[in-house]
Amino acid sequence: METEKTRNGFFFFLSVVFLGTGVWFFWSLVLLSLFWILAIYMSLLLALGLLLCWEGRELSLHWCHKILILLVVGICSFFFWLLFTYWKERWLTIGLSLQVFAPYIHLGSISMMVMVAWPVAFYVIHLEGEAKIRRYKITSNERRRNKMCNMITKLRALQVAVVLPFFLILLCLYVVPWGNHSPCIQEKDKLGPKPSFFGHRGAPMLGPENTMMSFEKAVEEGAFGLESDVHISMDRVPFLMHDYDLRRTTNIREVLPNASLKHPGFFGWYFLSTLNAGKWFSHSWVKPFYHMKPLSEADREKASKQKIPKFMELLKLAQREKKLVIFDLNVPPRQHPARSAYIQIAVREILDSQIEQHLIIWLPGSQREYVRSRAPGFQHIGRLFTIEQLTKQNITRINVDYKRLFYNGLREYKASVTTDNIQVLNKINHPYYFMTPNFYMLMWILMDCASAIFIVAIFYFHW
């Protein structure tokens, strides 16, 4: 992301990011919704059981019911533990998503409260009627009188327990826009520029990732830059591969099954160049990406013949097409002959390719002084620091996971997005989920007034 001050590109950035990650977000919400529904259902059952016990009624549960309740509680607890333990990073995505969709969630929640008002009003008025009946039944018998009074008190307490949270939540929904700072709400003339797009491992929905076909497809779709992952082979040849073994994206298990778990860097380039790196993509019955369009016969044939490319091949393509290149340079494992010299090998490979130095975005953080001395034209990249810190280190770009970004932190930067879905995002010319402050205020007032009228009418009808 260039450290060029612009207006606010945050919303445009998020809109394209969430289109790219929308499938994951959708299924995450589905799973979370199922867990929350199950948890709420169990909470309601427990609350109902406590209320029945409060009224002096025995639950009379069968042993099967007791076992099932304990089993469901255990399963819910286990899944919530998994979510909070292994989805720490993804909770950040959910929080960011809620911030973006806050206006729509707010308006939808008010509509939901209107629907919930019907059963709430019915239950509260039913309790009121029962309290009246019991009040009329009070006799002169002191013991019976005390019992009836206690029952009436419980009924009143139930009414308060149901009505008070309902109206408190409704009141919060009525006033929550005062504290809503969603990037979805802003004036059109303050909308930042459209971000540029880097092809993440090329165009992995159009060709096998980290192959020349994938990068060529990214260029065809108008990628601003190309992103890849670089390993160093045993004979010191930089090549493109993301994983720490070759099982997922090559046919290593067919060729050399006993070595399928071996680190890619422990193979020589001659062997690596013989592996097929495309059949897993073109002939797999499971699509690598959800909603991925079917390949044409020509693309399927081309994909099935892809090989692991050298880093040099990507640099030649970027030089020819004048595209920026950013890459993760993987540190070779221990006992690898190039472990202490992998930075020098990568720099030498780039210089040998004759690519213009300003097209290289240098991501590795180690040995920056050496890299600057050998290739002063490289654009160095850093983390999310202040403009002053970045300027002091002579860093012109930052590379940050979008989940780590925040509203005020991004306003000073011009956004570039690394995406798997470049063929779709590059065609978007305006942000989604957008509304002006005046329109949102109008919808807010209308929804508040209409919902208040409906809720009053519902309570009046039941009364």
Side-chain angles (χ1 to χ4, degrees), residues 228-232 238-241 311 327-331 346:
S228 186
D229 311 273
V230 178
H231 283 279
I232 309 294
F239 64 96
L240 306 185
M241 176 61 58
F311 185 33
F327 57 94
D328 287 310
L329 182 57
N330 292 277
V331 181

Side-chain angles (χ1 to χ4, degrees), residues 134-399:
R134 292 182 183 276
R135 188 162 49 248
Y136 291 141
K137 287 183 178 180
I138 294 177
T139 64
S140 58
N141 186 298
E142 190 66 27
R143 184 176 179 182
R144 186 175 179 84
R145 183 191 300 271
N146 291 336
K147 187 175 180 181
M148 284 291 185
C149 289
N150 290 337
M151 186 57 66
I152 292 172
T153 303
K154 290 180 181 180
L155 291 173
R156 294 299 185 195
L158 279 175
Q159 284 180 300
V160 173
V162 172
V163 171
L164 186 61
F166 175 81
F167 282 105
L168 285 177
I169 293 172
L170 189 64
L171 179 63
C172 290
L173 289 175
Y174 281 166
V175 301
V176 74
W178 286 338
N180 188 354
H181 301 290
S182 172
C184 175
I185 302 171
Q186 58 180 289
E187 299 292 349
K188 290 183 178 179
D189 58 350
K190 293 183 179 179
L191 190 64
K194 179 179 177 178
S196 50
F197 298 102
F198 280 70
H200 184 236
R201 306 175 199 169
M205 289 190 180
L206 304 177
E209 65 177 60
N210 277 327
T211 63
M212 293 312 297
M213 176 184 178
S214 182
F215 292 113
E216 289 165 1
K217 290 287 186 182
V219 170
E220 291 175 10
E221 296 295 333
F224 180 69
L226 306 173
E227 188 274 345
S228 186
D229 311 273
V230 178
H231 283 279
I232 309 294
S233 69
M234 282 291 285
D235 44 357
R236 300 184 174 222
V237 176
F239 64 96
L240 306 185
M241 176 61 58
H242 174 266
D243 297 356
Y244 288 99
D245 62 63
L246 300 167
R247 293 177 299 168
R248 184 175 66 89
T249 58
T250 73
N251 61 337
I252 184 70
R253 280 184 279 199
E254 298 174 8
V255 178
L256 205 62
N258 294 334
S260 61
L261 294 174
K262 198 174 179 181
H263 191 280
F266 283 129
F267 294 97
W269 171 245
Y270 175 78
F271 173 77
L272 291 169
S273 65
T274 64
L275 295 175
N276 184 288
K279 284 185 177 179
W280 69 274
F281 178 87
S282 60
H283 291 81
S284 175
W285 62 276
V286 179
K287 292 182 179 180
F289 293 91
Y290 187 69
H291 278 325
M292 191 181 86
K293 293 183 179 180
L295 297 175
S296 65
E297 285 302 319
D299 283 345
R300 185 182 297 273
E301 181 68 19
K302 184 177 181 180
S304 65
K305 296 178 180 179
Q306 292 300 300
K307 302 291 185 180
I308 299 174
K310 289 182 178 180
F311 185 33
M312 178 69 74
E313 296 178 65
L314 172 61
L315 296 171
K316 292 288 187 182
L317 174 66
Q319 167 65 12
R320 185 169 65 250
E321 301 293 340
K322 304 302 180 186
K323 300 295 181 183
L324 295 173
V325 176
I326 183 172
F327 57 94
D328 287 310
L329 182 57
N330 292 277
V331 181
R334 293 181 180 179
Q335 301 178 350
H336 192 284
R339 182 175 174 85
S340 61
Y342 72 102
I343 295 287
Q344 290 82 350
I345 293 172
V347 172
R348 185 170 61 250
E349 186 84 352
I350 295 170
L351 295 178
D352 290 345
S353 70
Q354 301 299 312
I355 187 173
E356 298 171 37
Q357 291 189 14
H358 73 273
L359 295 177
I360 298 298
I361 301 177
W362 186 263
L363 181 58
S366 60
Q367 302 186 40
R368 284 193 186 274
E369 294 305 318
Y370 165 79
V371 176
R372 284 194 172 104
S373 65
R374 288 294 311 277
F378 288 0
Q379 300 188 57
H380 287 258
I381 213 165
R383 299 299 176 186
L384 187 58
F385 300 128
T386 64
I387 298 293
E388 292 75 17
Q389 289 175 306
L390 294 172
T391 304
K392 186 177 180 181
Q393 298 178 31
N394 195 24
I395 292 176
T396 57
R397 295 173 179 267
I398 61 171
N399 181 53

Side-chain angles (χ1 to χ4, degrees), residues 4 32 106 123 125 207 209 266 289 319 344 388 405 463:
E4 171 188 340
L32 287 173
H106 166 238
Y123 185 63
I125 302 306
E209 65 177 60
F266 283 129
F289 293 91
Q319 167 65 12
Q344 290 82 350
E388 292 75 17
L405 291 171
W463 190 271

Side-chain angles (χ1 to χ4, degrees), residues 14 17-18 21-22 24-25 28-29 87-101 401-404:
L14 284 181
V17 164
F18 280 102
T21 59
W24 175 88
F25 179 63
S28 298
L29 284 183
W87 278 26
K88 289 180 180 179
E89 291 293 320
R90 300 189 179 187
W91 286 116
L92 298 174
T93 304
I94 294 172
L96 202 56
S97 305
L98 292 176
Q99 184 184 12
V100 173
F101 299 121
D401 189 335
Y402 71 93
K403 296 190 292 295
R404 296 291 179 184

Side-chain angles (χ1 to χ4, degrees), residues 79-142:
F79 276 110
F80 276 112
W81 175 79
L82 286 179
L83 286 174
F84 284 103
T85 303
Y86 295 102
W87 278 26
K88 289 180 180 179
E89 291 293 320
R90 300 189 179 187
W91 286 116
L92 298 174
T93 304
I94 294 172
L96 202 56
S97 305
L98 292 176
Q99 184 184 12
V100 173
F101 299 121
Y104 302 94
I105 295 173
H106 166 238
L107 298 176
S109 298
I110 294 178
S111 303
M112 184 65 68
M113 292 300 290
V114 174
M115 291 187 285
V116 171
W118 186 274
V120 168
F122 175 80
Y123 185 63
V124 169
I125 302 306
H126 172 74
L127 291 176
E128 179 65 26
E130 190 172 345
K132 287 181 179 180
I133 293 172
R134 292 182 183 276
R135 188 162 49 248
Y136 291 141
K137 287 183 178 180
I138 294 177
T139 64
S140 58
N141 186 298
E142 190 66 27

